[in-house]
Amino acid sequence: MHRQRHQKGSLQVRQHGKRKMWVLLYRDGNTRKYATLGSFAKMTKTQAEEKRDELIAEANARNSIAPDPDITFGQFLDGVALPFLKTKWKRSTAATTENRIKHHLVLEFGEEKLSALGLKQLQAFLNVKAEALSRSVVAHLRWDLRSVFKLALAEGYADRDPTAALFTPKEAAPSPSPSMSKEEVEHYVNALELRERVIAQLAIICGMRPGEILALQRRHIASDCRKLTIEQRLYRGDIDTPKTHKSTRTVAIPPKTASLLKEWMELVDDSPDAWVFASENPSTPMWRDNVWYRHMKPALQKVGLEWATFQVLRRTHASLGHDEGIDPKVAADQRGHGIGVAIDVYTKAALSRRAEAAEQLEKAVLTA
């Protein structure tokens, strides 16, 4: 922190049109201020000095301990931004976001004076990153910079926010977003053993996240296995609250998946707190990476579907549901996120559906 010297300001008489006015020139933080105190004809110098003293006292009180104007980007991150931002991040968000910030932003700007960073320099940084990274990562870096400078502005470490005009360069390549067809889904689930098949169908058919599936305990699942409740999730061995407010929900399970789940539940301990997908130690749930790398991926390599990760399964649920004409709001509620995310991020219409739509429009427009 930087202790600012107390000031007295500059009391002057200036011409405002045809009138003379008492004015005060002073500083408030790093900003020069100009205040009109009153008419020279109606206010004595003593009164003007009293008014001056009131304004200066207020400014000096606000700035008696002011932020260090020479703080570097790295110092601000470590001392102010990250400690504050971590208080609102979930552990999963904190791990990925902090790593991204330190790997990209701190390496680039760590020694730079925070107040000296401007729009051109920051946009040039994003332009360079767009040549090497996916559009998603570059967009996240832009969001990271916005978060840091909004906080810097709010806390008085910056007089302006240069990130408001930043944009994600058009050169940033979009990340591949594949999903499976109905035929591929059949091959996928048939390649797996019972436990992994249940996990896969809860993801593909019911739209559940892997952390939600692996955090299930017997008490969360209805006796007929036709529904289950999501009230927690698993992240790197820790039980946490669901990802978002919408993620806390009741999931409907259709008959065939319910029958498969019921078959698996016969092998699960009877205790209400028993993990549905326990690890080798029955008192702990399985980790996502262990499920995928030890059990699912090796089996899927035999049928050429090892590319269909848990992210692909979630996208497949959205895309196949869209192709089947399922109401987008219903599907979004089942997956536990907003309808905008459902359409823009996860849904990918099949080429056949797009061809049908194009033909339908063509027939409607070109009548000859």
Side-chain angles (χ1 to χ4, degrees):
M1 304 293 281
H2 170 69
R3 185 172 296 277
Q4 183 168 314
R5 293 179 180 176
H6 283 244
Q7 60 177 322
K8 292 184 178 180
S10 176
L11 183 64
Q12 301 178 11
V13 177
R14 290 196 176 183
Q15 194 76 28
H16 281 202
K18 295 181 179 180
R19 297 184 300 168
K20 290 183 178 180
M21 305 293 289
W22 288 107
V23 300
L24 175 65
L25 281 67
Y26 67 107
R27 298 190 70 87
D28 195 347
N30 294 323
T31 306
R32 290 191 179 93
K33 293 283 189 175
Y34 178 99
T36 302
L37 305 183
S39 168
F40 177 75
K42 297 180 180 180
M43 179 181 285
T44 66
K45 183 176 181 181
T46 300
Q47 291 172 325
E49 289 175 340
E50 290 175 354
K51 188 70 174 177
R52 174 202 63 189
D53 293 343
E54 288 178 14
L55 289 175
I56 293 297
E58 291 175 4
N60 285 339
R62 281 194 299 270
N63 299 289
S64 59
I65 298 180
D68 183 358
D70 296 320
I71 194 170
T72 66
F73 184 87
Q75 290 170 337
F76 179 71
L77 271 176
D78 290 337
V80 181
L82 287 177
F84 175 79
L85 294 171
K86 284 180 182 178
T87 62
K88 65 175 184 176
W89 287 341
K90 285 188 172 291
R91 183 172 173 237
S92 55
T93 302
T96 55
T97 304
E98 185 173 359
N99 180 67
R100 182 177 63 245
I101 286 175
K102 290 189 173 179
H103 182 72
H104 295 287
L105 301 186
V106 175
L107 284 179
E108 182 73 17
F109 304 120
E111 300 302 318
E112 297 268 2
K113 188 175 173 181
L114 180 69
S115 60
L117 291 172
L119 175 61
K120 289 184 179 180
Q121 184 177 0
L122 297 176
Q123 186 61 55
F125 162 77
L126 292 180
N127 294 344
V128 170
K129 291 297 181 182
E131 297 175 2
L133 303 173
S134 71
R135 187 174 188 82
S136 174
V137 175
V138 177
H140 275 91
L141 288 172
R142 173 180 170 272
W143 181 84
D144 295 334
L145 286 168
R146 290 281 286 137
S147 298
V148 170
F149 274 91
K150 278 184 179 180
L151 187 58
L153 189 64
E155 289 294 286
Y157 287 89
D159 294 327
R160 56 185 172 71
D161 178 7
T163 65
L166 288 177
F167 60 89
T168 302
K170 61 180 182 296
E171 293 80 10
S175 302
S177 55
S179 63
M180 288 191 289
S181 66
K182 289 185 285 188
E183 295 74 21
E184 287 173 325
V185 169
E186 283 203 64
H187 292 310
Y188 193 98
V189 296
N190 289 335
L192 301 172
E193 297 296 330
L194 175 61
R195 180 183 62 187
E196 288 74 43
R197 188 183 302 179
V198 173
I199 292 172
Q201 288 193 203
L202 288 175
I204 299 169
I205 307 300
C206 301
M208 294 177 64
R209 300 175 177 91
E212 296 169 345
I213 296 170
L214 298 176
L216 289 172
Q217 294 173 280
R218 178 176 281 278
R219 60 188 172 86
H220 297 133
I221 299 177
S223 57
D224 62 358
C225 294
R226 291 302 304 272
K227 66 179 181 180
L228 57 83
T229 56
I230 302 296
E231 60 181 37
Q232 61 189 27
R233 67 167 178 155
L234 180 72
Y235 180 74
R236 296 188 178 180
D238 291 341
I239 294 297
D240 195 2
T241 55
K243 186 175 183 180
T244 66
H245 175 70
K246 288 181 177 292
S247 300
T248 302
R249 65 197 189 281
T250 298
V251 175
I253 306 176
K256 291 181 180 179
T257 301
S259 177
L260 197 69
L261 176 59
K262 198 164 188 177
E263 182 181 349
W264 173 251
M265 292 300 292
E266 293 175 359
L267 305 176
V268 175
D269 188 275
D270 289 336
S271 168
D273 291 329
W275 298 107
V276 175
F277 302 104
S279 67
E280 294 178 0
N281 178 356
S283 64
T284 61
M286 298 183 75
W287 283 36
R288 182 183 69 174
D289 285 354
N290 289 343
V291 173
W292 175 252
Y293 288 107
R294 295 182 185 179
H295 304 285
M296 295 180 71
K297 187 175 181 180
L300 294 168
Q301 284 174 330
K302 298 175 183 178
V303 293
L305 290 170
E306 70 279 1
W307 54 269
T309 61
F310 281 114
Q311 184 72 6
V312 173
L313 303 192
R314 191 158 174 79
R315 194 178 299 117
T316 297
H317 174 271
S319 299
L320 293 183
H322 175 76
D323 290 345
E324 293 301 316
I326 295 173
D327 186 293
K329 179 68 168 79
V330 173
D333 287 347
Q334 178 81 344
R335 282 192 300 278
H337 57 217
I339 191 168
V341 175
I343 297 298
D344 295 337
V345 177
Y346 289 105
T347 302
K348 186 174 183 180
L351 181 60
S352 59
R353 286 293 303 277
R354 284 177 272 164
E356 290 172 9
E359 184 176 349
Q360 181 180 345
L361 180 60
E362 182 184 62
K363 287 180 179 178
V365 176
L366 303 178
T367 57

